[in-house]
Amino acid sequence: MGQHRQALRAAALGVAGATLAAGSLLGTAPAAHAGTAVRFVDIKGDGGTVLKANVVLPASADGGRRLPLIVLPTSWGLPRIEYLAQARRLADSGYVVLSYNVRGFWQSGGEIEVAGPPDVADASRVIDWALAHTPADPGHIGIGGVSYGAGISLLAAAHDPRIKAVAALSGWADLIGSIYSGRTQHVQAAALLDVVGTATGRRSAESREVFGDFYRADLADEERLLAWGRKRSATTYLDRLNRNAPAVMLANAWGDSVFPPDQYADFYTRLTGPKRLELRPGDHATAELSGLFGLPNDVWTDTRRWFDHHLRGVDNGVNREQPVRLKSRSTGGYEGYPDWKSVAATSRKIDLAGTATVRANGDSGANGGIVLLSSIVDQLVRLPPVASIPLLPRGRAAVWQSERYASAQRVRGSARLHTTVTPTASSGTLVAYLYDVSPLGLGKLVSHAPYTFYGHTPGRSFGVDLELFATAYDVPAGHRLALVVDTVDPLYIEHNPTGARLTFSSPANDPSYVSIPLREQ
């Protein structure tokens, strides 16, 4: 595992470098409005830890009247100037905007707690400081951010009832559901976070230990890892968040390889207060990126509209729009829905008939791509990871295909796989992929998901139910859909013993299938 980890860390270092370069360039982002005033300040966070922050005030702020406050915790590894362009736009609209470097990163004190209790307490201390040192209105407080800032924002809103509005962009609500879905370690995502955290911050002993346990993938560590993740997940505090009832906007990308969108969709469904869910093409934080440079950006435009309505009382119509807003990976327009369950009006099953046996420990050529890079390519030129379906080695991959569709199939939501597996070992990993297959057999990845099992009796069959990551993708007329299952993907740690085999079957009393969620045709 050591060599595998070093290779992943080396690969992630290139992406980390690009992230840091972007962070340094943010200092030159165009000033949206030269009339705003910027101050760099020190704030005492939880336990007296010094947090480096900046405050942006409207030019008209004179201390004589209270103004709504927006707090912006920084993303993982980015400096406190990250939001400066957007902060100036917000301040020009009449907000006090306070952005701070979360503890453990850059010049802020303390150590990286990975959205632990000290980070949540810091957010409240920052609000305290703003109320004492700026004309911030205690009755109109919002919080938001990208990635790490989004996760901290949701947690803070669950613990601090003063927060009335939240914009959580490219974040997580369920940390376990993000990087350990299907009981499978998302190792490239973790390595990316690990490298960036090491390069830009000071990791706590606990966080170093947790990352080490994660890479080691020892089942004996699982319950402790789960407990650590639950403490850092807004889903754990959902009752408290619903009781506080802030207006919550969630935005993410279909291809987010760090925090996949499914956990946001599930969390959105369970929120009871004012809420909005937006999903677009892209990967982790790429949908918001241009807005950090002060360029036109849909995510930040909707964020400002959300805050304007819920903190300033602006009648901009955001409360009358369909609250679920999606953009397909295949088309340029937005689609509106009254709720998440309405996204898929119907479904179509593909029968997975017959029996197929695959050998473990070898990559078949079907895979989910490379963390960050693959979905960015899909976002920019609509080219997801591809595979030649006829050439996939059947000894390494099980393959089923639908008929050719006479009309376009607009896939919306999460495809569901149900199958029966017979392993030759007590533990193992499988990865399921859904491909759009052209008449020439070229498959474009629609979605995928990993699944790991433990403690099963070798030779005894058991059922598997797996939801693939949610997506919005249009399969052209004349194409097929293919379901491919193999045992190795570079995105994940596999748990297949050497020489293991998995047999997939479709018993008469429990047929195997994949259910494809479809928008109304």
Side-chain angles (χ1 to χ4, degrees):
M1 182 63 210
Q3 290 182 341
H4 184 50
R5 177 182 173 186
Q6 291 299 322
L8 288 168
R9 286 169 64 89
L13 188 57
V15 181
T19 302
L20 299 181
S24 65
L25 286 172
L26 290 175
T28 63
H33 301 275
T36 56
V38 182
R39 285 193 292 140
F40 292 90
V41 300
D42 291 349
I43 298 174
K44 287 187 177 181
D46 185 54
T49 297
V50 174
L51 306 173
K52 296 294 183 177
N54 57 65
V55 180
V56 186
L57 297 173
S60 60
D62 56 10
R65 62 188 179 92
R66 293 290 183 179
L67 302 172
L69 168 68
I70 295 177
V71 174
L72 301 172
T74 53
S75 301
W76 183 271
L78 290 187
R80 59 177 162 171
I81 59 172
E82 174 187 4
Y83 302 113
L84 196 54
Q86 290 301 324
R88 284 171 165 157
R89 290 180 184 272
L90 288 163
D92 190 65
S93 296
Y95 294 97
V96 174
V97 186
L98 195 158
S99 177
Y100 69 96
N101 249 125
V102 292
R103 64 170 54 224
F105 285 101
W106 294 85
Q107 294 90 1
S108 284
E111 296 178 321
I112 299 171
E113 300 288 344
V114 196
D119 290 303
V120 179
D122 283 346
S124 291
R125 299 293 80 76
V126 167
I127 291 173
D128 293 341
W129 187 94
L131 294 177
H133 296 89
T134 74
D137 184 345
H140 297 83
I141 297 173
I143 190 169
V146 177
S147 185
Y148 196 42
I152 290 174
S153 294
L154 286 174
L155 289 163
H159 288 82
D160 194 330
R162 296 176 296 179
I163 296 171
K164 305 303 181 186
V166 181
L169 316 177
S170 289
W172 77 92
D174 182 351
L175 192 57
I176 299 301
S178 295
I179 62 173
Y180 191 57
S181 69
R183 296 184 78 183
T184 309
Q185 291 85 352
H186 296 212
V187 69
Q188 283 193 14
L192 175 64
L193 297 174
D194 189 4
V195 171
V196 174
T198 300
T200 62
R202 298 165 303 282
R203 295 165 56 195
S204 67
E206 181 187 33
S207 70
R208 289 195 299 271
E209 183 178 2
V210 164
F211 273 97
D213 290 345
F214 186 88
Y215 293 129
R216 191 163 52 249
D218 187 339
L219 190 59
D221 300 322
E222 184 180 49
E223 189 49 49
R224 186 162 60 87
L225 287 170
L226 293 177
W228 178 86
R230 291 188 197 102
K231 187 183 294 185
R232 291 159 169 81
S233 298
T235 53
T236 303
Y237 313 100
L238 183 66
D239 289 346
R240 188 179 298 182
L241 187 65
N242 282 334
R243 186 163 59 248
N244 292 343
V248 177
M249 173 181 158
L250 305 169
N252 207 343
W254 293 118
D256 194 318
S257 50
V258 180
F259 305 128
D262 306 72
Q263 41 91 32
Y264 253 13
D266 178 67
F267 184 70
Y268 170 85
T269 299
R270 297 163 63 196
L271 286 171
T272 58
K275 57 186 179 179
R276 183 179 178 96
L277 175 65
E278 299 186 355
L279 296 171
R280 299 174 173 85
D283 206 308
H284 183 62
T286 63
E288 300 88 1
L289 184 61
S290 64
L292 296 178
F293 292 90
L295 301 174
N297 181 277
D298 287 355
V299 185
W300 284 104
T301 295
D302 287 347
T303 296
R304 291 194 299 272
R305 294 177 66 231
W306 188 253
F307 283 140
D308 283 348
H309 179 75
H310 292 285
L311 296 180
R312 295 176 55 227
V314 176
D315 185 12
N316 55 18
V318 73
N319 58 316
R320 295 187 293 274
E321 296 170 357
Q322 298 275 40
V324 176
R325 192 167 184 245
L326 313 180
K327 179 182 279 190
S328 169
R329 291 161 52 200
S330 308
T331 61
Y334 284 97
E335 303 167 1
Y337 301 88
D339 48 41
W340 178 249
K341 68 179 180 181
S342 299
V343 170
T346 185
S347 63
R348 171 175 286 181
K349 287 184 178 180
I350 301 173
D351 293 330
L352 309 181
T355 299
T357 298
V358 299
R359 300 189 306 275
N361 315 123
D363 192 339
S364 71
N367 65 67
I370 301 172
V371 65
L372 275 185
L373 300 180
S374 296
S375 289
I376 292 176
V377 172
D378 187 33
Q379 176 185 4
L380 296 177
V381 297
R382 295 180 183 169
L383 182 61
V386 298
S388 175
I389 303 305
L391 297 181
L392 291 176
R394 293 322 195 244
R396 294 290 185 186
V399 180
W400 297 268
Q401 295 192 70
S402 73
E403 76 283 2
R404 286 182 180 168
Y405 296 115
S407 60
Q409 304 295 296
R410 294 183 287 184
V411 180
R412 300 290 185 273
S414 301
R416 293 184 296 107
L417 167 65
H418 173 74
T419 190
T420 295
V421 177
T422 307
T424 60
S426 62
S427 63
T429 297
L430 61 92
V431 186
Y433 309 89
L434 186 66
Y435 282 99
D436 160 23
V437 185
S438 73
L440 295 178
L442 182 66
K444 293 183 177 180
L445 187 65
V446 177
S447 185
H448 78 286
Y451 179 92
T452 296
F453 60 89
Y454 299 98
H456 284 271
T457 302
R460 180 174 295 179
S461 301
F462 63 93
V464 169
D465 288 286
L466 175 64
E467 282 199 355
L468 278 60
F469 299 136
T471 193
Y473 183 98
D474 295 352
V475 179
H479 285 213
R480 307 174 189 265
L481 281 170
L483 192 282
V484 177
V485 182
D486 70 4
T487 63
V488 173
D489 191 302
L491 289 171
Y492 310 109
I493 292 178
E494 63 153 319
H495 297 265
N496 299 294
T498 301
R501 285 176 168 80
L502 300 178
T503 297
F504 301 92
S505 58
S506 183
N509 62 344
D510 187 19
S512 295
Y513 62 86
V514 59
S515 178
I516 309 300
L518 299 173
R519 183 185 177 191
E520 186 175 355
Q521 301 299 297

